[in-house]
């Protein structure tokens, strides 16, 4: 039912969703693996950046619907906790102690979109198919979709995708501020690794910097005067160690 692979590329951790038979749909077990591998990355301070990819040219098609039981009581303890394990996985990716780049190819749907948005930076294929897709199958958005999408694409794009089932490609994602760069499909993962390599030169500084960025930008963010004072001690440390 799929798994998650961890590859080391210098100071870069490459996490691969490996369930190609369902376009890398997430299972609760894969969620557990992602959490465990994130713990492993955080514990190894020689890692400075992480890249998340999907096997066989597709990022993630959402939760693996083979595991859904349509008639099940979703508030029942086992069902509730099972979905929570999927949600916890992309939250854990977004809380890694290193910057995270999502290398996005193929389809990105539902929980897969949440995983993409949880990263700190996105490199996407021109022809990637990016959609929330929740309402399209009669399901209310979950996993904090509106918060994740809204902090990048703003209210208009979030409404279009979350309420009206609009689909975007990689170029449009860049226009909306939901991705940094759009490239040809066969260049996505290489470009993401190149960017990650830039951050891997100084793991200690990179980890301190990503902590500051996330604290300041949120969600929720902090006021400018608070950000100024928050940054200053770490900047002083970085200057002294040069």
């Amino acid at each position: 039912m799929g798994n998650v692979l961890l590859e080391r590329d210098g100071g870069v951790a490459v996490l691969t969703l490996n369930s190609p038979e369902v376009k890398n749909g997430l299972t609760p077990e894969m969620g557990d693996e992602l959490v465990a591998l994130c713990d492993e990355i955080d514990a190894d301070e020689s890692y400075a950046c992480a890249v998340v990819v999907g096997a066989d040219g597709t990022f993630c098609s959402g939760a693996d619907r083979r595991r859904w039981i349509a008639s099940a009581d979703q508030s029942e303890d086992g069902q509730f906790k099972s979905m929570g394990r999927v949600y916890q996985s992309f939250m854990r990716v977004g809380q890694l102690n290193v910057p995270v780049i999502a290398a996005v190819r193929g389809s990105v749907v539902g929980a897969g979109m949440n995983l993409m948005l949880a990263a700190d930076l996105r490199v996407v294929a021109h022809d990637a198919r990016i959609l929330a897709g929740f309402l399209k199958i009669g399901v209310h958005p979950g996993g904090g979709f509106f918060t994740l999408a809204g902090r990048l694409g703003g209210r208009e794009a979030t409404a279009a995708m979350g309420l009206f089932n609009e689909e975007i490609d990689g170029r449009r994602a860049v226009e909306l501020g939901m991705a940094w760069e759009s490239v040809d499909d066969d260049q996505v993962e290489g470009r993401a690794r190149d960017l990650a390599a830039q951050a891997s030169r100084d793991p200690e500084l990179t980890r301190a910097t990503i902590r500051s960025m996330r604290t300041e930008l949120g969600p929720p963010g902090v006021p400018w005067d608070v950000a100024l004072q928050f940054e200053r001690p770490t900047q002083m440390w970085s200057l002294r160690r040069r």
Side-chain angles (χ1 to χ4, degrees), residues 193-205:
R193 288 181 184 241
D194 287 345
L195 285 166
Q198 297 298 315
S200 69
R201 296 174 178 175
D202 190 336
E204 188 177 18
L205 178 60

Side-chain angles (χ1 to χ4, degrees), residues 107-218:
S107 301
V108 189
V109 185
M113 187 170 179
N114 288 344
L115 177 61
M116 178 192 87
L117 296 173
D120 299 295
L121 190 87
R122 284 142 290 278
V123 177
V124 298
H126 294 315
D127 60 356
R129 298 186 61 194
I130 304 168
L131 62 155
F134 295 105
L135 268 64
K136 198 170 186 178
I137 59 171
V139 176
H140 187 283
F145 167 77
F146 290 118
T147 292
L148 290 169
R151 69 178 179 174
L152 296 176
R155 187 182 181 94
E156 199 78 5
T158 300
M161 301 185 78
L163 293 171
F164 303 106
N165 299 313
E166 285 291 280
E167 177 182 323
I168 61 174
D169 61 16
R171 289 185 173 91
R172 183 64 171 144
V174 173
E175 290 174 3
L176 292 170
M178 301 181 87
W180 169 244
E181 188 173 4
S182 171
V183 298
D184 290 337
D185 180 81
D186 61 359
Q187 297 176 5
V188 170
E189 292 173 14
R191 176 60 173 148
R193 288 181 184 241
D194 287 345
L195 285 166
Q198 297 298 315
S200 69
R201 296 174 178 175
D202 190 336
E204 188 177 18
L205 178 60
T206 299
R207 284 176 174 237
T209 303
I210 193 59
R211 184 168 60 249
S212 295
M213 189 190 91
R214 291 185 189 145
T215 301
E216 292 181 38
L217 297 183

Side-chain angles (χ1 to χ4, degrees), residues 43-65:
D44 185 344
E45 295 188 358
S46 66
Y47 280 121
C49 195
V51 176
V52 182
V53 305
D56 286 8
T58 294
F59 188 70
C60 178
S61 62
D64 186 346
R65 293 171 66 183

Side-chain angles (χ1 to χ4, degrees), residues 28 72-85:
D73 178 0
Q74 296 302 311
S75 65
E76 184 271 327
D77 185 64
Q79 289 290 322
F80 187 83
K81 288 179 178 176
S82 181
M83 183 59 74
R85 289 155 66 192

